[in-house]
Amino acid sequence: MFFQFNENETLPGALSCYHKYTSNDLLYSTSPIDNTLLARVSCINAEQYEKFVQIAQENFLKWRNIPAPQRGIFVKRFGQEVQNKKGELAQLITLEMGKPIRESLGEVQEIIDICDFAVGLSRQLYGLTIQSERPEHKMIENWHPLGLVGIITAFNFPMAVWAWNSTISWVCGNVNIWKPSEKTPLCALALHKIVSNLVREMNLPDISFVFTGDYKIGEQLSLDKRIQLISATGSTRMGRQVARNVASRLGKYLLELGGNNAIIITESADFNLVIPSVVFGAIGTAGQRCTSTRRLIIQESIYERVKEALVHAYKQVKIGDPNDEQYHYGPLIDENAVILYEKSIQSAVFHGGKLLYGGKRIESSELKSKNYVLPTLIEVEKDNPIVQEETFAPILYLLKYKTIQEAIEINNQVAQGLSSAIMTLNLRESELFTSQNGSDCGIANINIGTSGAEIGGAFGGEKDTGGGRESGSDSWKNYMRRQTTTINYGINLPLAQGIKFEI
Amino acid sequence: MFFQFNENETLPGALSCYHKYTSNDLLYSTSPIDNTLLARVSCINAEQYEKFVQIAQENFLKWRNIPAPQRGIFVKRFGQEVQNKKGELAQLITLEMGKPIRESLGEVQEIIDICDFAVGLSRQLYGLTIQSERPEHKMIENWHPLGLVGIITAFNFPMAVWAWNSTISWVCGNVNIWKPSEKTPLCALALHKIVSNLVREMNLPDISFVFTGDYKIGEQLSLDKRIQLISATGSTRMGRQVARNVASRLGKYLLELGGNNAIIITESADFNLVIPSVVFGAIGTAGQRCTSTRRLIIQESIYERVKEALVHAYKQVKIGDPNDEQYHYGPLIDENAVILYEKSIQSAVFHGGKLLYGGKRIESSELKSKNYVLPTLIEVEKDNPIVQEETFAPILYLLKYKTIQEAIEINNQVAQGLSSAIMTLNLRESELFTSQNGSDCGIANINIGTSGAEIGGAFGGEKDTGGGRESGSDSWKNYMRRQTTTINYGINLPLAQGIKFEI
Amino acid sequence: MFFQFNENETLPGALSCYHKYTSNDLLYSTSPIDNTLLARVSCINAEQYEKFVQIAQENFLKWRNIPAPQRGIFVKRFGQEVQNKKGELAQLITLEMGKPIRESLGEVQEIIDICDFAVGLSRQLYGLTIQSERPEHKMIENWHPLGLVGIITAFNFPMAVWAWNSTISWVCGNVNIWKPSEKTPLCALALHKIVSNLVREMNLPDISFVFTGDYKIGEQLSLDKRIQLISATGSTRMGRQVARNVASRLGKYLLELGGNNAIIITESADFNLVIPSVVFGAIGTAGQRCTSTRRLIIQESIYERVKEALVHAYKQVKIGDPNDEQYHYGPLIDENAVILYEKSIQSAVFHGGKLLYGGKRIESSELKSKNYVLPTLIEVEKDNPIVQEETFAPILYLLKYKTIQEAIEINNQVAQGLSSAIMTLNLRESELFTSQNGSDCGIANINIGTSGAEIGGAFGGEKDTGGGRESGSDSWKNYMRRQTTTINYGINLPLAQGIKFEI
Amino acid sequence: MFFQFNENETLPGALSCYHKYTSNDLLYSTSPIDNTLLARVSCINAEQYEKFVQIAQENFLKWRNIPAPQRGIFVKRFGQEVQNKKGELAQLITLEMGKPIRESLGEVQEIIDICDFAVGLSRQLYGLTIQSERPEHKMIENWHPLGLVGIITAFNFPMAVWAWNSTISWVCGNVNIWKPSEKTPLCALALHKIVSNLVREMNLPDISFVFTGDYKIGEQLSLDKRIQLISATGSTRMGRQVARNVASRLGKYLLELGGNNAIIITESADFNLVIPSVVFGAIGTAGQRCTSTRRLIIQESIYERVKEALVHAYKQVKIGDPNDEQYHYGPLIDENAVILYEKSIQSAVFHGGKLLYGGKRIESSELKSKNYVLPTLIEVEKDNPIVQEETFAPILYLLKYKTIQEAIEINNQVAQGLSSAIMTLNLRESELFTSQNGSDCGIANINIGTSGAEIGGAFGGEKDTGGGRESGSDSWKNYMRRQTTTINYGINLPLAQGIKFEI
């Protein structure tokens, strides 16, 4: 594999995550497939942190003066390299994180897509020219790079989320510092190697850094006034802390936190779409997407039919080695995730939920670790406290509703506000659902599930999801600062609002 | 005057700030012109806070379903009412806050302007339709109202800043809660009376509330999860606290905090523009604008000439009753402001600054209070600690520079990042100043001063100014939530990024 | 009435349409209600044409230098004047053109709405700032006024269509020349009087001219190189000639020509919406809107039900004096229109159509002219040649379809491409209809009829409708010229695309 | 070379321009370098025209249903193929058209750039969602493909101009028919071969056709109602005819016609930039760009200095084989171009112009044809009729001005309105030049010359240049049709403008 790390290698401007830095703390990257140790990765220490932030600051002064379309050429080349190594990168994701290889390929494709999008943006990043109220004046709005951008990512998309941020941030002119999940450092290092080689080849300053380590690195970044923007993906608990830290120093942040995503199944839903979209939403990536479907809100008249079809479908779900395409999903990320899975099920049942399918870890000699769990269906009432919780596991709660208004209420009753969907052929329902009276989520889909966003739209959510948007639409504005200029090219000095002032 | 408050009157949906609420704390509104007590205003109490927030929530559910162009009609009517009462409103500003009547008229004009702008927006508030990568799919972006918006304003623009926020927030579909400065409650009540009458006349729900009180009300709003957005104008200290509070609950905020604004005077500057723009910037509103000019960065070859011209101009500045148009400015807001003025001058001189003009309070029997101060010019080195401070008073620091790069460095060396300007006829200088290598402020003007923004541009600043933008351009997006929808209108369910998943 | 014209009056910069210009040709304005002569209006002669175009050119040089937001203040004031005279203007429309007074009020409301919209635009008219590929370069896009804009309008919207064009054109900085329909000159003169008074009051140059006359004036404008843009509303035949003339001199044009608008009634349509939307679309304005519904494409399974309901509804339609609110519509514009109405019905029947209701002129002593006709329903096959024709009269053709694809084919089978609609609660149908495979019209509505557009959207159509767009969205760009600027503020001269060239 | 055409080869969906079609007319492609015959290319005949237009129509129905981002993948692959063959394509341009190899490489780079840009657009092509004035209504704007787009190009950019159009048109969903210049058919065939191979490889329908032939093919396309858009680059005479033809059928057109471009050299101009930008502008591509600099408008106080510097520079210009990088330019396109060159010079001198340098054909045994001419400088008065003419040759007219207003007048005194530039360090001059009072051209540059546009901006000009815009900014809208939809998702039917209508 191209990203085989060599102990003696020195990556330019990199990150000190090698065995030789013996004094540093170590991360242990383990494959959830079989719990084998993949590598030990040394964490960044205080001295390195300081040194690399300073280099990043210096390099920013160069990078911001490279025109955006030329920065785009770097991103284009990066996308080509990722394309060339698509298979290998996908294998690494599956190895370190455990998601099915097809989904890993999809994740790498997302990197390629966002590169294309960012390259297009590199000749846009449009500001406005604006009409001034004063003669011989004009107004103009320019967008400038921010400086350093800290990117904190989670294990479940160990590559794509960073790419959404970094590629757009690069064309915007920033230097990026990546704090990957401590569970997936190798995915970060693999991408970093591509970046590093390319930077060297194109004779560019180092514009990407990886700061390996645990949550304390993230905290340090969030408190560091030199990091203009922190883009953080992860739990609401983490995000709240990051927000508080960054806000206290009046920095900028972009949060992509927890989801607790529901699909509403209406009477007019096309059953041919319902089952696959629900099943993929609930068990894809073993339920470890922030957009995974966790709640199903079903019209009472079709409730039984949906329930039965789901139980039937779940029986056919195959779990096993994620490298093998016959399996629908593989292991959870680690033992702890399995425990949370079990606790959630117990809690759901304790509060009156009825287990319909699954509900336990898979004990099988064919599986190489104990991280595999059964996909789980639980029938609950809407006041069951478990529906307020986001558990990163393939558990789906079934709820019943009478009216579409009630369905929307249930959808909106949780603290999180990321993704939501409705399955309906009735346009009044679909329009209501996406109106101001509908879903309170950042994503509200119609006849597709909650997970699997395209990069062209703005991605993110409201409420405890943190309010940030990344990827498409005008999300790039998060990575720049806006400057409003009024130019007077006349020989007089009229004041705004017609104020008179003479000396 | 139309806004004479009647003890027995009950404003609908209003705020209980009348003498009869004897149990409430009282604010004492005093005119800085002569220190007379204008009125006692009762503060909102805990019970009222709760009650009005609940009403606001209920009314939001109605208001958001009134189409935006119809909400715009309300704003249009509001603008007409303000136009009709322009003179009276301006007089009240001058009375309670002390700014010259011409500037007060300008402030009211700004309300009228922003109404026109908001009305235009009411048929826009554009989202995007976006190309989907999947057949028979399309993507769409809708913007929806947020809910409740808390607007915290400062004494120096006791009407306009609220109007920037409230009018746009209204067309966006929100209900607004205004916490005005405790120094200028009557300005708030006067505008509120117009709103209340209009709301009654148009048979609308109450969509505007005024919460009178001290900083604790602001703090309560910032901690209240039911207030989706806090838009706060004021000191950096206050803003930092608001940011931390709102961030901790993952709410949204928009901050307009301190400025420390400089004008760079280059060799090629047109002297006919320099003196008026500097003098207006430094002494307009008695130096109490967040965009007031506090620092002058002068090319060394013209330094003496500028200095002399300024001293000459300052000698002609007339200070007195702000209702009298012959005076350039009136009193500072209160005794405390005068003390800060004096302390800043002492500190500047202590650290080596040289007093060129002014420097003291005006003792004159013709003035009806001791709140009047002389406009002040002080020559300083760039490492004088006083240049880091924003003092709300007519003090201007003169600094010298050799190269344009050095001038930009001085401009950027302060913690605040609101407004900045360059006086030059050399386009290389003007372009450099507004480039990524130039001013780090949100506003960077050319051949006009730092103060006096038009409402068509986005207003706000970077760094300790808080990063918010309000008024023109696409600032309205701050007052709404974005929803991304992917619609599948086909009979298949392709996944994004070409992922294959079959059950 | 305020617009009573006085023989001795001289309107500034106006148009010479008064009796005293005895040498000019005369237009005879007649009320279709009772065929009384309302006024004789003298046409512009060759000398006047030349003189006013020259004045317009001179005034443009002043008007373009008045900042757009100040031009917006003129439009705001104009809107207020129209608001003040709303009732009188509506009465004049009804008097001269014959549409029901409620619709006339709606037409005047449209003027008020577009004024608000244009005022909002006056602080926008946004160009872009664009990233350059070269260091120390930037790109910028400015929009500038065009110059003179010729506005040719039709009788059916004798005020609003001009207002859509003129108000936006004004804020864009142009001077407008209006060639109104020879059938409705008084409507033009009434509005012109408001404009003229306002221009005088605000001390502005004359920025609006009315060129009364027959089609030859329109032709002259279309051939006149000094008129940068011709915006023409009317028949396809006229539009084709205008297009050819303007194209030959490489001028700009914006065409709003004929429509032949259909509503598709699907099985899932809500009957409560179907009948009113169809009836209003077909008989509103006596079928004389360019967006009037002319064809009904009905799913076969509900065909009979729709047909019966329509016949039933048509029996209740009341025709009479349009000033009387009890009547649904009044007279056609003139005798000629009645003849065309009769011929169309004959042709439809001759080719196999079956008359279901109406089909003839109303002979009644209560009516004061012979311009009143019965609303008409005709059942036709889709190959009946009459369905290709746009007849400005309340005739509706009923067609039958089996599949939604067939319905769309029928919708698209005509030469015109203005408006279309579908009545459905099925989102697959609504999405298909508005997709690239759906309606080929500029307007494609869902669950509302074909007529009655809001001003916020871009209005206009494809194919023989002429391709123009006016009113909302970014239609304002039609009234301006775009200028792309690349600024080099560095000391080097790199070429685009990295070309090397050294001397 | 990859584009060696094989007599027996059959390109899919192509155009029959091979020797075997013996009955067709023939084009003779000749190299201007040495007048050798490069190839005979058979023209398309009437039968082929019909057949291919029909195929194009059928394929459009498939192509428009491939999602835009997937169409973008085709364009991305096309760009990669062009990148891979960059050198060979550039050589072919130089061979067939005669421009210096460095410029040919730049032209190919432009194709690559526009591909990147178009790929970015493929996930945008944004319409708007718009606020409706009615409850439970929303408005939405979608952009749909047009159908067939005819692209008529000129010899001087035998590849890039087509690419600007075709790549954007493709992502917009159209099928393109290219009518290349009869002087450069091989350049068209080479690109077409790449497209054809790729289409086959990607299993796509044929979405690109080349219609070789003379002007009659262009005329036929312009008259063909099935071609929704004609995008034509070439002479004003041709454009006027195309415009008239297309307008007569109410089609769409986009014109890029003649330029007559001037640079204004002000007193404050940086001489280090003046000479290279003028010389490149005037003699680059042997003066055969539509943006070539044809007029120099020089402030009188520096006139002599500029003149002398130019004469000095022109003496160093080397003309010769364009494949050899030491030469600044090569031959004109053909003998006829040389004759026009000579006639223009004679006319300029006859009307009082003074020849400063050059003025004749180069007679040299080292040159392999008689198509090479000297770069020419002529001093003229502004009323010399020759300054109204665009001659595609390296002739530059020098004019003198006193005031900046006069300079702008001279700039604007010609019929064409493509490109213009000012060399100045004075921002008042640069702002005036790009204001509504400045240049009337579509391009107005500052401190770079008139030629060499980046693809990110909208390219095109006003007046006799035809008014079209292509390439960057929102030029893509020319290639699509806009559809405005109002959706009613409620159970009532309110009418716009509050009209009441009840049956």
Side-chain angles (χ1 to χ4, degrees), chain A residues 61 64-65 102-103 106-107 109-110 113 128 130-134 137 139 141-142 144-146 225 236 239-240 243-244 247-253 255 257 270 272-273 275-277 279-280 283-284 289 313 316-317 328 433-449 452-459 462-464 466-467 469 473-475 477 481-488 490-493 495-497 499-503, chain B residues 61 64-65 102-103 106 109-110 113 128 130-134 137 139 141-142 144-146 225 236 239-240 243-244 247-253 255 257 270 272-273 275-277 279-280 283-284 289 313 316-317 328 433-449 452-459 462-464 466-467 469 473-475 477 481-488 490-493 495-497 499-503:
Chain A
L61 299 183
R64 73 175 179 184
N65 281 326
R102 279 173 174 164
E103 294 190 26
E107 179 165 356
Q109 185 59 45
E110 222 164 320
D113 290 348
L128 300 176
I130 302 174
Q131 300 293 321
S132 166
E133 70 193 40
R134 288 171 278 188
H137 281 56
M139 296 180 78
E141 186 180 75
N142 286 302
H144 294 314
L146 284 179
K225 192 138 192 162
T236 294
R240 207 184 296 273
R244 189 186 298 120
S248 298
R249 58 174 174 92
L250 294 171
K252 297 177 198 295
Y253 55 80
L255 302 177
L257 311 178
D270 179 344
N272 292 326
L273 301 183
I275 301 307
S277 65
V279 176
F280 177 72
I283 73 165
R289 291 184 175 215
Q316 293 161 64
V317 172
H328 290 100
F433 182 69
T434 55
S435 78
Q436 70 277 14
N437 297 316
S439 165
D440 61 3
C441 295
I443 296 171
N445 289 333
I446 300 169
N447 293 327
I448 63 169
E454 298 189 18
I455 61 103
F459 180 90
E462 296 301 316
K463 302 195 294 182
D464 278 5
R469 291 297 184 283
S473 187
D474 67 350
S475 303
K477 290 181 180 174
R481 64 180 169 96
R482 184 199 304 248
Q483 189 168 75
T484 305
T485 294
T486 305
I487 303 172
N488 174 10
I491 58 172
N492 298 305
L493 194 80
L495 297 176
Q497 291 89 44
I499 293 176
K500 298 294 170 203
F501 184 90
E502 273 162 34
I503 210 80
Chain B
L61 299 183
R64 72 175 178 185
N65 281 327
R102 279 172 173 166
E103 293 190 27
Q109 184 58 46
E110 221 162 321
D113 290 349
L128 299 176
I130 303 174
Q131 301 293 320
S132 165
E133 70 193 40
R134 289 173 277 188
H137 282 55
M139 296 179 78
E141 187 180 75
N142 286 303
H144 294 315
L146 284 179
K225 192 138 191 163
T236 294
R240 208 185 295 273
R244 190 185 297 119
S248 298
R249 58 174 174 92
L250 294 172
K252 297 179 198 294
Y253 55 80
L255 302 176
L257 312 178
D270 179 343
N272 292 326
L273 303 183
I275 301 307
S277 64
V279 175
F280 177 72
I283 72 166
R289 291 184 174 215
Q316 293 162 62
V317 172
H328 291 98
F433 182 69
T434 54
S435 78
Q436 70 277 17
N437 297 315
S439 165
D440 60 4
C441 295
I443 296 171
N445 289 334
I446 300 169
N447 293 328
I448 62 168
E454 298 188 18
I455 61 101
F459 181 90
E462 296 300 317
K463 302 195 294 184
D464 278 5
R469 291 297 185 283
S473 188
D474 67 349
S475 303
K477 291 181 179 173
R481 63 181 170 95
R482 183 199 308 247
Q483 188 167 77
T484 305
T485 295
T486 305
I487 303 171
N488 175 11
I491 57 170
N492 297 306
L493 193 82
L495 298 176
Q497 292 89 45
I499 292 176
K500 298 294 170 205
F501 183 90
E502 276 162 31
I503 213 78

Side-chain angles (χ1 to χ4, degrees), chain A residues 55-74:
Chain A
I55 293 174
Q57 285 188 297
E58 285 159 26
N59 289 355
F60 167 64
L61 299 183
K62 298 171 198 156
W63 182 238
R64 73 175 179 184
N65 281 326
I66 294 175
Q70 292 186 32
R71 297 192 298 250
I73 290 172
F74 166 75

Side-chain angles (χ1 to χ4, degrees), chain D residues 151-409:
Chain D
I151 304 170
I152 300 174
T153 61
F155 77 88
N156 61 339
F157 278 87
M159 292 189 178
V161 168
W162 167 80
W164 291 356
N165 283 279
S166 62
T167 54
I168 290 180
S169 179
W170 279 327
V171 300
C172 290
N174 303 308
V175 171
N176 302 320
I177 295 172
W178 184 8
K179 168 24 194 113
S181 167
E182 57 262 47
K183 296 176 184 168
T184 51
L186 298 185
C187 285
L189 295 184
L191 286 176
H192 187 66
K193 187 164 176 187
I194 295 175
V195 172
S196 297
N197 288 342
L198 195 56
V199 155
R200 243 182 313 190
E201 185 188 328
M202 295 179 72
N203 206 20
L204 293 169
D206 285 315
I207 51 175
S208 195
F209 296 82
V210 178
F211 281 13
T212 43
D214 64 9
Y215 74 94
K216 278 172 281 180
I217 294 288
E219 194 169 23
Q220 193 171 353
L221 289 168
S222 72
L223 289 164
D224 190 336
K225 193 137 190 162
R226 297 168 297 180
I227 316 294
Q228 275 75 12
L229 168 68
I230 298 290
S231 175
T233 302
S235 70
T236 293
R237 197 182 48 74
M238 177 278 294
R240 207 184 296 273
Q241 187 57 46
V242 165
R244 190 185 297 120
N245 290 346
V246 181
S248 298
R249 59 173 174 91
L250 294 172
K252 297 178 197 294
Y253 54 80
L254 189 173
L255 303 176
E256 300 284 350
L257 311 178
N260 188 346
N261 318 294
I263 301 179
I264 297 173
I265 314 288
T266 71
E267 277 182 288
S268 71
D270 179 344
F271 249 69
N272 292 326
L273 303 183
V274 166
I275 302 307
S277 65
V278 171
V279 176
F280 177 73
I283 73 165
T285 328
Q288 297 174 112
R289 290 184 175 214
C290 44
T291 54
S292 287
T293 310
R294 313 217 171 276
R295 300 178 295 141
L296 214 56
I297 308 169
I298 309 165
Q299 214 284 331
E300 57 178 8
S301 68
I302 56 165
Y303 182 82
E304 289 303 323
R305 189 176 161 211
V306 172
K307 186 169 88 175
E308 280 163 29
L310 276 176
V311 170
H312 178 73
Y314 268 53
K315 286 181 180 158
Q316 292 160 64
V317 172
K318 295 183 199 159
I319 301 103
D321 186 334
N323 290 298
D324 185 339
E325 296 205 352
Q326 71 165 304
Y327 295 115
H328 291 99
Y329 67 86
L332 292 188
I333 185 68
D334 57 18
E335 172 69 16
N336 194 39
V338 177
I339 291 168
L340 286 172
Y341 161 86
E342 290 170 338
K343 279 192 178 163
S344 293
I345 295 166
Q346 285 158 18
S347 169
V349 171
F350 175 80
H351 289 98
K354 183 175 159 196
L355 184 68
L356 300 177
Y357 186 82
K360 60 185 180 199
R361 188 193 291 247
I362 305 175
E363 309 280 353
S364 159
S365 58
E366 282 175 26
L367 298 175
K368 294 178 188 149
S369 79
K370 295 194 163 180
N371 299 327
Y372 298 79
V373 301
L374 284 176
T376 298
L377 293 171
I378 307 181
E379 196 170 63
V380 298
E381 297 296 318
K382 67 183 173 185
D383 58 358
N384 191 317
I386 196 65
V387 300
Q388 298 293 339
E389 302 296 323
E390 178 191 31
T391 307
F392 254 42
I395 309 173
L396 183 65
Y397 305 111
L398 275 60
L399 297 128
K400 210 177 284 183
Y401 79 87
K402 282 192 169 56
T403 67
I404 183 68
Q405 283 77 13
E406 188 193 359
I408 290 171
E409 254 172 51

Side-chain angles (χ1 to χ4, degrees), chain C residues 257-441:
Chain C
L257 311 178
N260 188 345
N261 318 293
I263 300 180
I264 297 172
I265 314 288
T266 70
E267 279 182 284
S268 70
D270 179 344
F271 250 67
N272 292 327
L273 302 183
V274 166
I275 301 306
S277 65
V278 171
V279 176
F280 177 72
I283 72 165
T285 329
Q288 298 174 111
R289 291 185 175 214
C290 44
T291 55
S292 287
T293 310
R294 313 216 171 276
R295 300 178 294 141
L296 215 54
I297 308 168
I298 309 165
Q299 214 283 332
E300 57 178 10
S301 69
I302 56 166
Y303 182 83
E304 289 304 322
R305 186 176 164 211
V306 172
K307 188 171 84 176
E308 280 163 30
L310 276 176
V311 170
H312 178 74
Y314 268 53
K315 286 181 181 157
Q316 293 161 65
V317 172
K318 297 183 197 154
I319 300 106
D321 185 335
N323 289 298
D324 186 338
E325 296 206 353
Q326 71 165 302
Y327 295 115
H328 291 99
Y329 65 86
L332 292 188
I333 185 68
D334 56 18
E335 172 70 17
N336 195 39
V338 177
I339 293 170
L340 287 173
Y341 161 85
E342 292 171 336
K343 280 193 178 163
S344 293
I345 294 166
Q346 287 158 17
S347 169
V349 172
F350 175 80
H351 288 99
K354 182 176 161 197
L355 186 67
L356 300 177
Y357 186 81
K360 60 185 179 200
R361 188 193 294 244
I362 306 175
E363 308 281 352
S364 161
S365 59
E366 282 175 29
L367 298 175
K368 296 180 187 144
S369 78
K370 298 193 163 180
N371 300 326
Y372 298 79
V373 301
L374 284 176
T376 299
L377 292 171
I378 307 179
E379 195 169 63
V380 298
E381 298 295 317
K382 68 184 173 187
D383 56 359
N384 190 318
I386 197 65
V387 301
Q388 298 294 336
E389 302 297 322
E390 177 190 32
T391 307
F392 254 42
I395 310 174
L396 183 66
Y397 305 112
L398 274 59
L399 298 129
K400 209 177 285 184
Y401 80 86
K402 283 192 167 57
T403 66
I404 183 68
Q405 284 74 16
E406 189 194 357
I408 291 171
E409 253 172 51
I410 296 173
N411 181 76
N412 293 354
Q413 79 174 81
V414 300
Q416 303 89 342
L418 180 51
S419 188
S420 60
I422 192 168
M423 306 303 287
T424 185
L425 297 183
N426 181 324
L427 80 80
R428 281 182 181 157
E429 289 180 340
S430 64
E431 291 293 338
L432 178 67
F433 182 69
T434 54
S435 78
Q436 69 278 13
N437 297 316
S439 166
D440 61 4
C441 295

Side-chain angles (χ1 to χ4, degrees), chain C residues 121-389:
Chain C
L121 283 181
S122 75
R123 289 184 186 268
Q124 301 183 335
L125 304 177
Y126 297 138
L128 300 176
T129 57
I130 302 174
Q131 300 294 320
S132 166
E133 70 192 41
R134 290 172 276 188
E136 295 181 294
H137 281 56
K138 78 175 187 195
M139 296 179 77
I140 187 171
E141 188 179 74
N142 286 303
W143 289 90
H144 294 314
L146 283 180
L148 308 196
V149 173
I151 303 170
I152 299 173
T153 61
F155 77 88
N156 60 339
F157 279 87
M159 291 190 180
V161 168
W162 167 79
W164 291 356
N165 282 278
S166 64
T167 54
I168 291 181
S169 179
W170 278 328
V171 300
C172 290
N174 301 309
V175 171
N176 301 321
I177 295 172
W178 184 8
K179 167 26 193 109
S181 167
E182 57 263 47
K183 297 175 184 168
T184 52
L186 298 184
C187 286
L189 295 183
L191 285 175
H192 188 66
K193 187 164 174 187
I194 295 175
V195 173
S196 296
N197 288 343
L198 195 56
V199 155
R200 243 182 313 189
E201 184 188 329
M202 295 180 72
N203 206 19
L204 293 169
D206 285 316
I207 51 175
S208 196
F209 296 82
V210 178
F211 281 12
T212 43
D214 64 8
Y215 74 93
K216 278 172 281 178
I217 294 288
E219 192 169 27
Q220 194 171 353
L221 289 168
S222 73
L223 288 165
D224 191 335
K225 192 138 190 161
R226 296 167 299 180
I227 316 295
Q228 274 76 13
L229 168 68
I230 298 290
S231 175
T233 301
S235 70
T236 294
R237 196 183 47 75
M238 176 280 294
R240 206 184 297 273
Q241 187 57 46
V242 165
R244 189 186 297 119
N245 289 346
V246 181
S248 297
R249 58 175 175 91
L250 294 172
K252 297 178 198 295
Y253 55 79
L254 189 171
L255 302 177
E256 299 286 349
L257 311 178
N260 188 345
N261 318 293
I263 300 180
I264 297 172
I265 314 288
T266 70
E267 279 182 284
S268 70
D270 179 344
F271 250 67
N272 292 327
L273 302 183
V274 166
I275 301 306
S277 65
V278 171
V279 176
F280 177 72
I283 72 165
T285 329
Q288 298 174 111
R289 291 185 175 214
C290 44
T291 55
S292 287
T293 310
R294 313 216 171 276
R295 300 178 294 141
L296 215 54
I297 308 168
I298 309 165
Q299 214 283 332
E300 57 178 10
S301 69
I302 56 166
Y303 182 83
E304 289 304 322
R305 186 176 164 211
V306 172
K307 188 171 84 176
E308 280 163 30
L310 276 176
V311 170
H312 178 74
Y314 268 53
K315 286 181 181 157
Q316 293 161 65
V317 172
K318 297 183 197 154
I319 300 106
D321 185 335
N323 289 298
D324 186 338
E325 296 206 353
Q326 71 165 302
Y327 295 115
H328 291 99
Y329 65 86
L332 292 188
I333 185 68
D334 56 18
E335 172 70 17
N336 195 39
V338 177
I339 293 170
L340 287 173
Y341 161 85
E342 292 171 336
K343 280 193 178 163
S344 293
I345 294 166
Q346 287 158 17
S347 169
V349 172
F350 175 80
H351 288 99
K354 182 176 161 197
L355 186 67
L356 300 177
Y357 186 81
K360 60 185 179 200
R361 188 193 294 244
I362 306 175
E363 308 281 352
S364 161
S365 59
E366 282 175 29
L367 298 175
K368 296 180 187 144
S369 78
K370 298 193 163 180
N371 300 326
Y372 298 79
V373 301
L374 284 176
T376 299
L377 292 171
I378 307 179
E379 195 169 63
V380 298
E381 298 295 317
K382 68 184 173 187
D383 56 359
N384 190 318
I386 197 65
V387 301
Q388 298 294 336
E389 302 297 322

